[in-house]
């Protein structure tokens, strides 16, 4: 049985203490073990990052950016290998794994703009003979804690930008699918990163608590479920750290009576069942305005759900792989049972799905519930599986009131041909990322990603311009070089230009 190592000071480090099993979700077999870091190992990573920081901070941004140009090339050259590792441990299809890597590479491209992003703001003659400028300096040693569902993309949301801004980074990826994350980090070293600037430690709560408590770790970026996001935000900020903690979601798609139904159905299929519903931006609720569009949706989408091609992510041309673990499978099937017991109509039941020669895989077919109401657990909670719920309402206002009352506010979208409805929706919906006829409105790398309400704790969104702000500290300098001949008397009134 192979053991997946940590990466400290640019070197692989294996440990023999506590371990976690890593599964192939398509077969249910344990394929490797991953060491879970203890406090001593974490300290090694922190020491390595701390030692690397002074030189990296002073490396010109344009030189730092060169590393990321080479990194992008290496990621592209290794795309297939990385995607295979993702599929083998996460279960998602090869094409979907390539897709997440490509979105991650877009964040690397953004990081190559570090010289432009960090050039600051300058005011000549802010006062007599006084110039003033804002400089964006790195925060120091910063850490990222990432979820299983995007083992390539979510770490790439964080450390390329953090490192390009001059910080040193400790990454604690998900212990469920760590291999692709590790390979990608090693490619950054191959691209020329100095030792210690990025460290990868695998682990669980013990490692995360160590990062929260370590005084040398100045900022924490977290992406994962809401209870852990809230915990990390509250414990981290209590200790004076910067924290951005992105949590879970329940994303609604509104179908207006005038929606282009064929396109809306295609969009919903991909957004609800892609990656087996294990995306924080997955659409898990279709809110139909009027019974006519709801009935038409059911008629069109049911055969498509029944025709989903489900199998091991290693096979090409599939729509959906397995869920990530047996526990995830049991959790999602538990929600299906709960929905039935609560009185929702289970129109498509994916529980009977069998994948030939993969009887022990964590597979579940697509499920569809109709007549779901806001008091049901399947509506209120994040299921994180291939389950779409239909809620029927009478008006756009009722649809928006429903969405605005939900505790999560990550993503949402509206399908309509009516610009007035689309504009009202964009203006008044209490959600951080909004699509109009776009089912997964994940912002491109030069915008920023984040939800509202209990989908994000902290002030700044992830990556893009907000990411630059998060990973830098503004220092504003006011400088005077008086003319030699002038002498100014002491001023006791507060200086101003007035
Ligand atoms: P998770 O919260 O279980 O784990 C996320 C990270 O936290 C992992 O690195 C894990 O090791 C660590 N962790 C787990 N338990 C911990 C504990 N008790 N204390 C400290 N750290 C702990 O999430 P997951 O199952 O890996 O990922 C799925 C969740 O992530 C979903 O809720 C999904 O919506 C969310 N997610 C959100 C976004 C977003 O951008 N908002 C993106 C991707 C995933």
């Amino acid at each position: 049985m192979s053991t997946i190592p940590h990466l400290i000071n640019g070197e692989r480090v294996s440990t023999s203490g506590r371990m976690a099993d890593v599964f192939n979700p398509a077969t249910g077999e344990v394929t490797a073990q991953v060491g879970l870091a203890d406090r001593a190992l974490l300290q090694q990573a922190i020491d390595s990052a701390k030692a690397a920081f002074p030189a990296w901070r002073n490396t010109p941004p344009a030189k730092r950016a060169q590393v990321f140009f080479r990194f992008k090339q290496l990621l592209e050259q290794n795309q297939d290998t990385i995607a295979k590792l993702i599929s083998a441990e996460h279960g998602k299809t090869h094409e979907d794994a390539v897709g997440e890597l490509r979105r991650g590479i877009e964040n690397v491209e953004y990081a190559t703009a570090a010289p432009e992003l960090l050039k600051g703001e300058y005011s000549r003659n802010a006062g007599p003979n006084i110039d003033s400028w804002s400089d964006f300096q790195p925060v120091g040693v910063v850490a990222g804690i990432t979820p299983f569902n995007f083992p390539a993309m979510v770490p790439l949301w964080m450390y390329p930008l953090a490192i390009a801004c001059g910080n040193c980074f400790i990454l604690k990826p998900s212990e469920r699918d760590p291999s692709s994350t590790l390979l990608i980090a090693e490619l950054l070293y191959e691209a020329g990163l100095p030792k210690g600037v990025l460290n990868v430690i695998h682990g669980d709560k013990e490692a995360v608590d160590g990062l929260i408590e370590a005084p040398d770790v100045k900022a924490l970026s977290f992406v994962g479920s809401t209870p852990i996001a809230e915990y990390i935000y509250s414990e981290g900020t209590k200790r004076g750290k910067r924290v951005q903690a992105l949590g879970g979601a329940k994303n609604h798609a509104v179908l207006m009576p005038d929606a282009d139904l064929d396109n809306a159905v295609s969009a919903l299929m991909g957004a609800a069942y892609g990656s087996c519903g294990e995306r924080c931006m997955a659409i898990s609720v279709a809110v139909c305005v009027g019974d006519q569009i709801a009935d038409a949706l059911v008629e069109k989408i049911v055969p498509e759900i029944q025709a989903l091609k489900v199998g091991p992510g290693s096979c090409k041309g599939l729509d959906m792989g397995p869920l990530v673990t047996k526990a995830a499978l049991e959790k999602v099937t538990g929600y299906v049972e709960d929905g039935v017991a609560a009185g929702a109509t289970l129109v498509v039941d994916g529980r009977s799905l069998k994948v030939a020669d993969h009887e022990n895989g964590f597979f579940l077919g697509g499920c569809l519930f109709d007549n779901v109401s806001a008091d049901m657990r399947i509506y209120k909670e994040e299921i994180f599986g291939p389950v779409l719920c239909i809620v029927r309402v009478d008006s756009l206002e009722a649809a928006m009131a429903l969405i605005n009352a939900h505790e999560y506010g990550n993503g949402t979208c509206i399908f309509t041909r009516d610009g007035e409805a689309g504009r009202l929706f964009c203006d008044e919906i209490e959600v951080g990322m909004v699509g109009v006829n776009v089912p997964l409105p994940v912002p491109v790398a030069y915008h920023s990603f984040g939800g509202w309400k209990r989908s994000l704790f902290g002030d700044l969104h992830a990556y893009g311009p907000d990411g630059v702000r998060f990973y830098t500290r503004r220092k504003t300098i006011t400088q005077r070089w008086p003319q030699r001949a002038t002498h100014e008397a002491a001023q006791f009134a507060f200086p101003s230009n007035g």
Side-chain angles (χ1 to χ4, degrees):
M1 178 73 56
S2 64
T3 305
I4 298 162
H6 311 271
L7 189 68
I8 297 182
N9 214 33
E11 309 287 342
R12 290 180 160 215
V13 175
S14 292
T15 46
S16 57
R18 287 191 311 125
M19 297 273 171
D21 290 335
V22 176
F23 290 86
N24 178 341
T27 62
E29 285 163 4
V30 177
T31 52
Q33 290 208 303
V34 61
L36 302 175
D38 59 15
R39 295 290 176 111
L41 193 83
L42 174 61
Q43 195 55 49
Q44 276 185 41
I46 295 172
D47 291 345
S48 157
K50 219 177 139 187
F53 180 60
W56 185 246
R57 171 191 194 277
N58 285 323
T59 301
K63 215 165 166 195
R64 299 201 290 250
Q66 292 301 322
V67 176
F68 289 98
F69 282 111
R70 293 191 290 271
F71 185 43
K72 170 183 152 70
Q73 273 185 333
L74 287 169
L75 289 172
E76 283 169 345
Q77 283 162 14
N78 288 276
Q79 177 173 294
D80 206 50
T81 312
I82 295 167
K84 282 186 177 139
L85 282 178
I86 296 172
S87 294
E89 292 181 354
H90 174 285
K92 66 177 73 174
T93 66
H94 184 80
E95 293 82 353
D96 193 27
V98 169
E100 81 153 279
L101 179 62
R102 298 295 327 171
R103 290 303 291 259
I105 290 172
E106 290 175 17
N107 293 88
V108 176
E109 289 165 356
Y110 186 74
T112 62
E116 165 70 20
L117 297 169
L118 297 174
K119 73 185 182 195
E121 298 161 354
Y122 187 86
S123 299
R124 184 178 136 73
N125 281 340
N129 294 321
I130 293 177
D131 304 322
S132 183
W133 69 94
S134 284
D135 192 16
F136 295 95
Q137 302 196 341
V139 175
V141 175
V142 301
I145 299 145
T146 52
F148 81 85
N149 66 326
F150 285 109
M153 182 183 77
V154 171
L156 290 174
W157 283 0
M158 298 177 181
Y159 67 77
L161 191 56
I163 289 174
C165 287
N167 301 282
C168 292
F169 202 94
I170 299 171
L171 175 67
K172 208 293 300 161
S174 172
E175 66 279 28
R176 285 181 240 167
D177 49 7
S179 293
S180 60
T181 321
L182 181 70
L183 171 62
I184 293 172
E186 289 187 306
L187 291 176
L188 185 55
Y189 276 104
E190 202 178 317
L193 191 75
K195 288 193 169 184
V197 175
L198 173 65
N199 295 278
V200 181
I201 51 144
H202 305 293
D204 54 9
K205 180 170 167 46
E206 183 175 345
V208 173
D209 283 342
L211 288 167
I212 294 171
E213 288 162 24
D216 287 323
V217 175
K218 304 296 181 196
L220 298 166
S221 295
F222 172 85
V223 176
S225 58
T226 286
I228 313 290
E230 198 164 21
Y231 168 75
I232 290 176
Y233 183 76
S234 104
E235 293 300 315
T237 51
K238 216 185 270 176
R239 289 167 175 81
K241 291 184 202 301
R242 287 184 176 200
V243 184
Q244 56 177 190
L246 282 65
K250 193 82 182 176
N251 305 312
H252 301 68
V254 176
L255 264 79
M256 293 296 285
D258 67 348
D260 171 345
L261 192 61
D262 287 341
N263 280 321
V265 167
S266 299
L268 278 178
M269 285 300 297
Y273 301 106
S275 207
C276 211
E278 290 175 319
R279 290 179 183 145
C280 67
M281 290 291 275
I283 293 291
S284 49
V285 185
V287 187
C288 294
V289 177
D291 282 332
Q292 209 178 339
I293 190 89
D295 293 341
L297 170 66
V298 172
E299 196 186 321
K300 270 200 188 290
I301 205 167
V302 166
E304 299 218 12
I305 300 170
Q306 288 165 337
L308 278 168
K309 294 194 276 299
V310 186
S314 53
C315 291
K316 294 211 168 163
L318 295 178
D319 301 320
M320 217 170 82
L323 286 154
V324 67
T325 55
K326 192 156 187 258
L329 176 62
E330 287 168 359
K331 184 178 153 208
V332 179
T333 49
Y335 274 112
V336 176
E337 284 157 24
D338 197 87
V340 173
T345 315
L346 184 57
V347 187
V348 184
D349 183 355
R351 289 174 296 176
S352 54
L353 176 92
K354 296 270 174 289
V355 176
D357 302 326
H358 290 77
E359 286 71 21
N360 296 323
F362 310 136
F363 289 101
L364 177 67
C367 300
L368 179 71
F369 276 109
D370 195 359
N371 301 307
V372 173
S373 59
D375 56 344
M376 294 179 185
R377 271 185 69 220
I378 55 166
Y379 174 76
K380 289 196 282 197
E381 297 176 16
E382 181 180 43
I383 298 177
F384 224 53
V387 182
L388 179 65
C389 296
I390 297 176
V391 178
R392 296 170 178 238
V393 295
D394 298 338
S395 64
L396 174 59
E397 287 68 25
M400 289 172 60
L402 183 81
I403 297 169
N404 287 348
H406 204 284
E407 66 169 327
Y408 294 123
N410 214 39
T412 188
C413 72
I414 183 169
F415 293 100
T416 184
R417 289 185 169 103
D418 176 351
E420 189 184 342
R423 193 161 190 277
L424 178 76
F425 189 74
C426 293
D427 274 356
E428 299 203 356
I429 207 73
E430 298 271 319
V431 173
M433 293 171 282
V434 183
V436 178
N437 300 317
V438 173
L440 295 176
V442 176
V444 288
Y446 40 94
H447 287 263
S448 296
F449 181 107
W452 285 14
K453 299 186 275 186
R454 287 171 60 73
S455 293
L456 186 144
F457 301 87
D459 305 313
L460 293 168
H461 287 195
Y463 68 74
D466 271 19
V468 177
R469 286 286 180 270
F470 184 75
Y471 292 123
T472 57
R473 288 191 295 180
R474 177 189 286 266
K475 183 179 277 179
T476 307
I477 296 148
T478 306
Q479 177 174 273
R480 166 183 278 177
W481 294 110
Q483 302 292 316
R484 254 163 237 211
T486 56
H487 169 79
E488 287 185 21
Q491 249 191 56
F492 296 97
F494 204 69
S496 78
N497 279 324

